Amino acid sequence: DDASLPPMDEAFYLNHLEHFIPLYENGTITGTTDNDVDAAGYRAMVIVVAIRQETATEVSKFVSQELGGVRLHDDINTLSDDDFLAVTAGRGLIVSATIIDGFGRLRKYVKEYGKEISIILFGCDAKSIEASLLPKSRQMIGMVKGWEKTRVGLVKHVMMQPSLETEDKSSTDESPSPYQPGEEMKAAIVALKKASEAAPQVDAR
């Protein structure tokens, strides 16, 4: 933690973003941990679901870094058969989505590829949804139950840090995520690595 920074809440999100991005770029802070999975060998798809797309994108970037630089895909509705075939061949994919967007698209593939899919529900508890004050909050609470019941390899809830639930759009796809993980996210990363190890392996030669 940097004592010069203001409290880490939504009002000061940009201060923290501007502080951490240069540290990632010059290597002072790294987004990787011990026992990283080689990106080329990650054999699973991770779908990061959040209330807002900006939040899902930031957390997806963090998950990608922790798994060794796994490919990112920012629109769940454009997933194709080729994307899932690439995952089974050892080219993992991190997909960001919102609670109300893309669930129907995912269901198309669950029967065939469910074992290769993991879902991280980031800040999708009822309390966080109600606090967002979004007009479709009641609908979102109901849809989370659908995500939870999806027949995939792993479904895991992770609590949200308030600083990430923001409408700020200044972060780019090329910028490392400034997200700082809590214990729940660290446990989720371990579970995602195990999910990759357990996923069926296909000889792509």
Side-chain angles (χ1 to χ4, degrees):
D1 295 339
D2 193 314
S4 66
L5 288 172
M8 193 169 184
D9 57 27
E10 188 164 342
F12 296 107
Y13 174 78
L14 282 176
N15 299 74
H16 286 264
L17 186 67
E18 292 169 357
H19 174 76
F20 282 109
I21 285 179
L23 297 179
Y24 274 102
E25 290 175 343
N26 65 27
T28 303
I29 294 177
T30 175
T32 58
T33 59
D34 294 336
N35 302 317
D36 286 319
V37 177
D38 183 354
Y42 192 79
R43 302 191 308 274
M45 176 180 291
V46 181
I47 300 176
V48 177
V49 183
I51 297 171
R52 291 188 172 95
Q53 183 62 43
E54 292 82 4
T55 305
T57 297
E58 287 301 319
V59 177
S60 292
K61 287 159 65 176
F62 173 82
V63 172
S64 171
Q65 293 162 11
E66 290 296 299
L67 298 179
V70 180
R71 298 176 301 140
L72 290 163
H73 190 95
D74 214 26
D75 186 356
I76 191 171
N77 291 303
T78 62
L79 287 175
S80 67
D81 292 333
D82 289 342
D83 291 316
F84 284 90
L85 289 172
V87 168
T88 61
R91 296 192 65 224
L93 193 64
I94 313 295
V95 183
S96 56
T98 62
I99 295 171
I100 62 174
D101 187 35
F103 180 68
R105 183 70 173 176
L106 176 63
R107 290 181 63 183
K108 174 183 176 182
Y109 295 101
V110 164
K111 184 175 182 180
E112 185 171 359
Y113 299 106
K115 292 181 180 179
E116 288 89 3
I117 300 172
S118 296
I119 297 174
I120 298 296
L121 296 167
F122 186 84
C124 294
D125 57 288
K127 184 177 180 180
S128 296
I129 294 172
E130 290 170 352
S132 73
L133 301 178
L134 291 174
K136 295 183 178 180
S137 59
R138 183 168 296 183
Q139 178 185 352
M140 284 193 283
I141 290 173
M143 293 191 72
V144 168
K145 295 178 181 179
W147 284 100
E148 291 172 338
K149 294 178 181 179
T150 307
R151 295 184 177 181
V152 295
L154 173 72
V155 179
K156 199 166 185 67
H157 273 276
V158 175
M159 292 298 291
M160 176 186 65
Q161 289 186 349
S163 61
L164 274 178
E165 192 50 44
T166 174
E167 295 185 15
D168 172 71
K169 300 180 181 180
S170 60
S171 180
T172 66
D173 289 342
E174 291 78 19
S175 302
S177 171
Y179 170 62
Q180 299 295 295
E183 292 303 315
E184 285 187 345
M185 179 56 83
K186 291 177 182 178
I189 294 297
V190 172
L192 291 175
K193 292 177 180 180
K194 291 180 178 179
S196 171
E197 294 168 0
Q201 187 169 8
V202 176
D203 190 344
R205 290 177 296 177

mmCIF file with all atom_site columns, all heavy atoms in Angstrom, residues 5 26 52 62 71 81 90 102 119 124 164-165 168 177-178 195 201:
data_model
loop_
_atom_site.group_PDB
_atom_site.id
_atom_site.type_symbol
_atom_site.label_atom_id
_atom_site.label_alt_id
_atom_site.label_comp_id
_atom_site.label_asym_id
_atom_site.label_entity_id
_atom_site.label_seq_id
_atom_site.pdbx_PDB_ins_code
_atom_site.Cartn_x
_atom_site.Cartn_y
_atom_site.Cartn_z
_atom_site.occupancy
_atom_site.B_iso_or_equiv
_atom_site.pdbx_formal_charge
_atom_site.auth_seq_id
_atom_site.auth_comp_id
_atom_site.auth_asym_id
_atom_site.auth_atom_id
_atom_site.pdbx_PDB_model_num
ATOM 1   N N   . LEU A 1 5   ? -1.602  7.643   -1.234  1.00 0.00 ? 5   LEU A N   1
ATOM 2   C CA  . LEU A 1 5   ? -2.851  7.495   -1.952  1.00 0.00 ? 5   LEU A CA  1
ATOM 3   C C   . LEU A 1 5   ? -4.039  7.744   -1.030  1.00 0.00 ? 5   LEU A C   1
ATOM 4   O O   . LEU A 1 5   ? -3.989  7.418   0.150   1.00 0.00 ? 5   LEU A O   1
ATOM 5   C CB  . LEU A 1 5   ? -2.962  6.089   -2.548  1.00 0.00 ? 5   LEU A CB  1
ATOM 6   C CG  . LEU A 1 5   ? -2.053  5.789   -3.740  1.00 0.00 ? 5   LEU A CG  1
ATOM 7   C CD1 . LEU A 1 5   ? -2.151  4.312   -4.080  1.00 0.00 ? 5   LEU A CD1 1
ATOM 8   C CD2 . LEU A 1 5   ? -2.405  6.635   -4.942  1.00 0.00 ? 5   LEU A CD2 1
ATOM 9   N N   . ASN A 1 26  ? 6.541   -0.729  -15.649 1.00 0.00 ? 26  ASN A N   1
ATOM 10  C CA  . ASN A 1 26  ? 7.998   -0.755  -15.444 1.00 0.00 ? 26  ASN A CA  1
ATOM 11  C C   . ASN A 1 26  ? 8.467   -1.977  -14.668 1.00 0.00 ? 26  ASN A C   1
ATOM 12  O O   . ASN A 1 26  ? 9.648   -2.114  -14.360 1.00 0.00 ? 26  ASN A O   1
ATOM 13  C CB  . ASN A 1 26  ? 8.478   0.536   -14.772 1.00 0.00 ? 26  ASN A CB  1
ATOM 14  C CG  . ASN A 1 26  ? 7.933   0.712   -13.359 1.00 0.00 ? 26  ASN A CG  1
ATOM 15  O OD1 . ASN A 1 26  ? 7.615   -0.257  -12.672 1.00 0.00 ? 26  ASN A OD1 1
ATOM 16  N ND2 . ASN A 1 26  ? 7.842   1.976   -12.917 1.00 0.00 ? 26  ASN A ND2 1
ATOM 17  N N   . ARG A 1 52  ? -21.150 -4.669  -14.079 1.00 0.00 ? 52  ARG A N   1
ATOM 18  C CA  . ARG A 1 52  ? -20.841 -3.772  -15.193 1.00 0.00 ? 52  ARG A CA  1
ATOM 19  C C   . ARG A 1 52  ? -19.715 -4.346  -16.035 1.00 0.00 ? 52  ARG A C   1
ATOM 20  O O   . ARG A 1 52  ? -18.822 -5.031  -15.544 1.00 0.00 ? 52  ARG A O   1
ATOM 21  C CB  . ARG A 1 52  ? -20.444 -2.388  -14.689 1.00 0.00 ? 52  ARG A CB  1
ATOM 22  C CG  . ARG A 1 52  ? -21.581 -1.590  -14.042 1.00 0.00 ? 52  ARG A CG  1
ATOM 23  C CD  . ARG A 1 52  ? -21.133 -0.164  -13.759 1.00 0.00 ? 52  ARG A CD  1
ATOM 24  N NE  . ARG A 1 52  ? -22.230 0.672   -13.312 1.00 0.00 ? 52  ARG A NE  1
ATOM 25  C CZ  . ARG A 1 52  ? -22.532 0.907   -12.035 1.00 0.00 ? 52  ARG A CZ  1
ATOM 26  N NH1 . ARG A 1 52  ? -21.814 0.329   -11.079 1.00 0.00 ? 52  ARG A NH1 1
ATOM 27  N NH2 . ARG A 1 52  ? -23.540 1.701   -11.715 1.00 0.00 ? 52  ARG A NH2 1
ATOM 28  N N   . PHE A 1 62  ? -6.805  -9.222  -14.917 1.00 0.00 ? 62  PHE A N   1
ATOM 29  C CA  . PHE A 1 62  ? -6.060  -9.738  -13.770 1.00 0.00 ? 62  PHE A CA  1
ATOM 30  C C   . PHE A 1 62  ? -5.969  -11.259 -13.823 1.00 0.00 ? 62  PHE A C   1
ATOM 31  O O   . PHE A 1 62  ? -4.898  -11.844 -13.624 1.00 0.00 ? 62  PHE A O   1
ATOM 32  C CB  . PHE A 1 62  ? -6.715  -9.300  -12.466 1.00 0.00 ? 62  PHE A CB  1
ATOM 33  C CG  . PHE A 1 62  ? -6.092  -9.941  -11.261 1.00 0.00 ? 62  PHE A CG  1
ATOM 34  C CD1 . PHE A 1 62  ? -4.936  -9.417  -10.708 1.00 0.00 ? 62  PHE A CD1 1
ATOM 35  C CD2 . PHE A 1 62  ? -6.639  -11.082 -10.703 1.00 0.00 ? 62  PHE A CD2 1
ATOM 36  C CE1 . PHE A 1 62  ? -4.331  -10.035 -9.621  1.00 0.00 ? 62  PHE A CE1 1
ATOM 37  C CE2 . PHE A 1 62  ? -6.048  -11.697 -9.613  1.00 0.00 ? 62  PHE A CE2 1
ATOM 38  C CZ  . PHE A 1 62  ? -4.894  -11.167 -9.065  1.00 0.00 ? 62  PHE A CZ  1
ATOM 39  N N   . ARG A 1 71  ? -5.322  -15.611 -23.341 1.00 0.00 ? 71  ARG A N   1
ATOM 40  C CA  . ARG A 1 71  ? -6.008  -14.702 -24.264 1.00 0.00 ? 71  ARG A CA  1
ATOM 41  C C   . ARG A 1 71  ? -7.280  -14.124 -23.650 1.00 0.00 ? 71  ARG A C   1
ATOM 42  O O   . ARG A 1 71  ? -7.953  -14.776 -22.867 1.00 0.00 ? 71  ARG A O   1
ATOM 43  C CB  . ARG A 1 71  ? -6.391  -15.438 -25.551 1.00 0.00 ? 71  ARG A CB  1
ATOM 44  C CG  . ARG A 1 71  ? -5.222  -15.974 -26.352 1.00 0.00 ? 71  ARG A CG  1
ATOM 45  C CD  . ARG A 1 71  ? -5.730  -16.778 -27.547 1.00 0.00 ? 71  ARG A CD  1
ATOM 46  N NE  . ARG A 1 71  ? -6.575  -17.892 -27.131 1.00 0.00 ? 71  ARG A NE  1
ATOM 47  C CZ  . ARG A 1 71  ? -7.692  -18.271 -27.750 1.00 0.00 ? 71  ARG A CZ  1
ATOM 48  N NH1 . ARG A 1 71  ? -8.121  -17.614 -28.820 1.00 0.00 ? 71  ARG A NH1 1
ATOM 49  N NH2 . ARG A 1 71  ? -8.389  -19.305 -27.327 1.00 0.00 ? 71  ARG A NH2 1
ATOM 50  N N   . ASP A 1 81  ? -17.726 -21.589 -32.359 1.00 0.00 ? 81  ASP A N   1
ATOM 51  C CA  . ASP A 1 81  ? -17.238 -22.966 -32.233 1.00 0.00 ? 81  ASP A CA  1
ATOM 52  C C   . ASP A 1 81  ? -15.719 -23.009 -32.272 1.00 0.00 ? 81  ASP A C   1
ATOM 53  O O   . ASP A 1 81  ? -15.092 -23.792 -31.553 1.00 0.00 ? 81  ASP A O   1
ATOM 54  C CB  . ASP A 1 81  ? -17.800 -23.823 -33.368 1.00 0.00 ? 81  ASP A CB  1
ATOM 55  C CG  . ASP A 1 81  ? -19.302 -24.022 -33.252 1.00 0.00 ? 81  ASP A CG  1
ATOM 56  O OD1 . ASP A 1 81  ? -19.826 -23.970 -32.130 1.00 0.00 ? 81  ASP A OD1 1
ATOM 57  O OD2 . ASP A 1 81  ? -19.959 -24.221 -34.296 1.00 0.00 ? 81  ASP A OD2 1
ATOM 58  N N   . GLY A 1 90  ? -5.820  -26.529 -26.034 1.00 0.00 ? 90  GLY A N   1
ATOM 59  C CA  . GLY A 1 90  ? -4.788  -25.989 -25.160 1.00 0.00 ? 90  GLY A CA  1
ATOM 60  C C   . GLY A 1 90  ? -4.589  -24.502 -25.243 1.00 0.00 ? 90  GLY A C   1
ATOM 61  O O   . GLY A 1 90  ? -3.629  -23.972 -24.689 1.00 0.00 ? 90  GLY A O   1
ATOM 62  N N   . GLY A 1 102 ? -25.297 -12.417 -22.341 1.00 0.00 ? 102 GLY A N   1
ATOM 63  C CA  . GLY A 1 102 ? -24.491 -13.537 -22.789 1.00 0.00 ? 102 GLY A CA  1
ATOM 64  C C   . GLY A 1 102 ? -24.830 -14.886 -22.198 1.00 0.00 ? 102 GLY A C   1
ATOM 65  O O   . GLY A 1 102 ? -24.297 -15.904 -22.639 1.00 0.00 ? 102 GLY A O   1
ATOM 66  N N   . ILE A 1 119 ? -16.707 -20.394 -14.298 1.00 0.00 ? 119 ILE A N   1
ATOM 67  C CA  . ILE A 1 119 ? -17.381 -19.107 -14.183 1.00 0.00 ? 119 ILE A CA  1
ATOM 68  C C   . ILE A 1 119 ? -17.001 -18.448 -12.858 1.00 0.00 ? 119 ILE A C   1
ATOM 69  O O   . ILE A 1 119 ? -17.123 -19.067 -11.793 1.00 0.00 ? 119 ILE A O   1
ATOM 70  C CB  . ILE A 1 119 ? -18.913 -19.266 -14.251 1.00 0.00 ? 119 ILE A CB  1
ATOM 71  C CG1 . ILE A 1 119 ? -19.336 -19.831 -15.614 1.00 0.00 ? 119 ILE A CG1 1
ATOM 72  C CG2 . ILE A 1 119 ? -19.617 -17.930 -13.985 1.00 0.00 ? 119 ILE A CG2 1
ATOM 73  C CD1 . ILE A 1 119 ? -20.822 -20.166 -15.712 1.00 0.00 ? 119 ILE A CD1 1
ATOM 74  N N   . CYS A 1 124 ? -21.342 -10.375 -7.594  1.00 0.00 ? 124 CYS A N   1
ATOM 75  C CA  . CYS A 1 124 ? -22.684 -10.667 -8.090  1.00 0.00 ? 124 CYS A CA  1
ATOM 76  C C   . CYS A 1 124 ? -23.636 -11.100 -6.983  1.00 0.00 ? 124 CYS A C   1
ATOM 77  O O   . CYS A 1 124 ? -24.685 -11.691 -7.253  1.00 0.00 ? 124 CYS A O   1
ATOM 78  C CB  . CYS A 1 124 ? -22.622 -11.746 -9.174  1.00 0.00 ? 124 CYS A CB  1
ATOM 79  S SG  . CYS A 1 124 ? -21.757 -11.227 -10.673 1.00 0.00 ? 124 CYS A SG  1
ATOM 80  N N   . LEU A 1 164 ? -13.634 -1.042  -7.833  1.00 0.00 ? 164 LEU A N   1
ATOM 81  C CA  . LEU A 1 164 ? -13.786 -1.552  -9.192  1.00 0.00 ? 164 LEU A CA  1
ATOM 82  C C   . LEU A 1 164 ? -15.195 -1.374  -9.736  1.00 0.00 ? 164 LEU A C   1
ATOM 83  O O   . LEU A 1 164 ? -15.416 -1.485  -10.925 1.00 0.00 ? 164 LEU A O   1
ATOM 84  C CB  . LEU A 1 164 ? -13.410 -3.038  -9.240  1.00 0.00 ? 164 LEU A CB  1
ATOM 85  C CG  . LEU A 1 164 ? -11.925 -3.306  -9.445  1.00 0.00 ? 164 LEU A CG  1
ATOM 86  C CD1 . LEU A 1 164 ? -11.670 -4.803  -9.436  1.00 0.00 ? 164 LEU A CD1 1
ATOM 87  C CD2 . LEU A 1 164 ? -11.423 -2.701  -10.726 1.00 0.00 ? 164 LEU A CD2 1
ATOM 88  N N   . GLU A 1 165 ? -16.168 -1.117  -8.858  1.00 0.00 ? 165 GLU A N   1
ATOM 89  C CA  . GLU A 1 165 ? -17.533 -0.944  -9.354  1.00 0.00 ? 165 GLU A CA  1
ATOM 90  C C   . GLU A 1 165 ? -17.716 0.515   -9.747  1.00 0.00 ? 165 GLU A C   1
ATOM 91  O O   . GLU A 1 165 ? -18.172 1.358   -9.000  1.00 0.00 ? 165 GLU A O   1
ATOM 92  C CB  . GLU A 1 165 ? -18.548 -1.344  -8.285  1.00 0.00 ? 165 GLU A CB  1
ATOM 93  C CG  . GLU A 1 165 ? -19.954 -1.456  -8.832  1.00 0.00 ? 165 GLU A CG  1
ATOM 94  C CD  . GLU A 1 165 ? -19.998 -2.299  -10.087 1.00 0.00 ? 165 GLU A CD  1
ATOM 95  O OE1 . GLU A 1 165 ? -19.366 -3.368  -10.148 1.00 0.00 ? 165 GLU A OE1 1
ATOM 96  O OE2 . GLU A 1 165 ? -20.668 -1.872  -11.030 1.00 0.00 ? 165 GLU A OE2 1
ATOM 97  N N   . ASP A 1 168 ? -15.996 4.318   -14.877 1.00 0.00 ? 168 ASP A N   1
ATOM 98  C CA  . ASP A 1 168 ? -14.837 4.880   -15.555 1.00 0.00 ? 168 ASP A CA  1
ATOM 99  C C   . ASP A 1 168 ? -14.385 3.971   -16.684 1.00 0.00 ? 168 ASP A C   1
ATOM 100 O O   . ASP A 1 168 ? -14.338 2.767   -16.530 1.00 0.00 ? 168 ASP A O   1
ATOM 101 C CB  . ASP A 1 168 ? -13.680 5.054   -14.556 1.00 0.00 ? 168 ASP A CB  1
ATOM 102 C CG  . ASP A 1 168 ? -12.393 5.445   -15.264 1.00 0.00 ? 168 ASP A CG  1
ATOM 103 O OD1 . ASP A 1 168 ? -12.301 6.589   -15.739 1.00 0.00 ? 168 ASP A OD1 1
ATOM 104 O OD2 . ASP A 1 168 ? -11.519 4.574   -15.361 1.00 0.00 ? 168 ASP A OD2 1
ATOM 105 N N   . SER A 1 177 ? -4.183  -4.826  -15.475 1.00 0.00 ? 177 SER A N   1
ATOM 106 C CA  . SER A 1 177 ? -5.228  -4.514  -14.516 1.00 0.00 ? 177 SER A CA  1
ATOM 107 C C   . SER A 1 177 ? -4.639  -4.008  -13.213 1.00 0.00 ? 177 SER A C   1
ATOM 108 O O   . SER A 1 177 ? -3.697  -4.592  -12.671 1.00 0.00 ? 177 SER A O   1
ATOM 109 C CB  . SER A 1 177 ? -6.059  -5.765  -14.230 1.00 0.00 ? 177 SER A CB  1
ATOM 110 O OG  . SER A 1 177 ? -6.930  -5.525  -13.152 1.00 0.00 ? 177 SER A OG  1
ATOM 111 N N   . PRO A 1 178 ? -5.183  -2.911  -12.644 1.00 0.00 ? 178 PRO A N   1
ATOM 112 C CA  . PRO A 1 178 ? -4.710  -2.422  -11.351 1.00 0.00 ? 178 PRO A CA  1
ATOM 113 C C   . PRO A 1 178 ? -5.384  -3.143  -10.186 1.00 0.00 ? 178 PRO A C   1
ATOM 114 O O   . PRO A 1 178 ? -5.154  -2.820  -9.040  1.00 0.00 ? 178 PRO A O   1
ATOM 115 C CB  . PRO A 1 178 ? -5.128  -0.947  -11.375 1.00 0.00 ? 178 PRO A CB  1
ATOM 116 C CG  . PRO A 1 178 ? -6.380  -0.949  -12.184 1.00 0.00 ? 178 PRO A CG  1
ATOM 117 C CD  . PRO A 1 178 ? -6.176  -2.014  -13.245 1.00 0.00 ? 178 PRO A CD  1
ATOM 118 N N   . ALA A 1 195 ? -8.755  -26.484 -12.411 1.00 0.00 ? 195 ALA A N   1
ATOM 119 C CA  . ALA A 1 195 ? -9.766  -26.776 -13.427 1.00 0.00 ? 195 ALA A CA  1
ATOM 120 C C   . ALA A 1 195 ? -9.120  -27.032 -14.779 1.00 0.00 ? 195 ALA A C   1
ATOM 121 O O   . ALA A 1 195 ? -9.553  -27.894 -15.544 1.00 0.00 ? 195 ALA A O   1
ATOM 122 C CB  . ALA A 1 195 ? -10.746 -25.608 -13.533 1.00 0.00 ? 195 ALA A CB  1
ATOM 123 N N   . GLN A 1 201 ? -7.990  -33.262 -22.315 1.00 0.00 ? 201 GLN A N   1
ATOM 124 C CA  . GLN A 1 201 ? -6.932  -32.811 -23.195 1.00 0.00 ? 201 GLN A CA  1
ATOM 125 C C   . GLN A 1 201 ? -7.098  -33.434 -24.581 1.00 0.00 ? 201 GLN A C   1
ATOM 126 O O   . GLN A 1 201 ? -7.294  -34.633 -24.712 1.00 0.00 ? 201 GLN A O   1
ATOM 127 C CB  . GLN A 1 201 ? -5.552  -33.154 -22.630 1.00 0.00 ? 201 GLN A CB  1
ATOM 128 C CG  . GLN A 1 201 ? -4.399  -32.545 -23.427 1.00 0.00 ? 201 GLN A CG  1
ATOM 129 C CD  . GLN A 1 201 ? -3.081  -32.684 -22.689 1.00 0.00 ? 201 GLN A CD  1
ATOM 130 O OE1 . GLN A 1 201 ? -2.990  -33.351 -21.670 1.00 0.00 ? 201 GLN A OE1 1
ATOM 131 N NE2 . GLN A 1 201 ? -2.049  -32.066 -23.209 1.00 0.00 ? 201 GLN A NE2 1
#
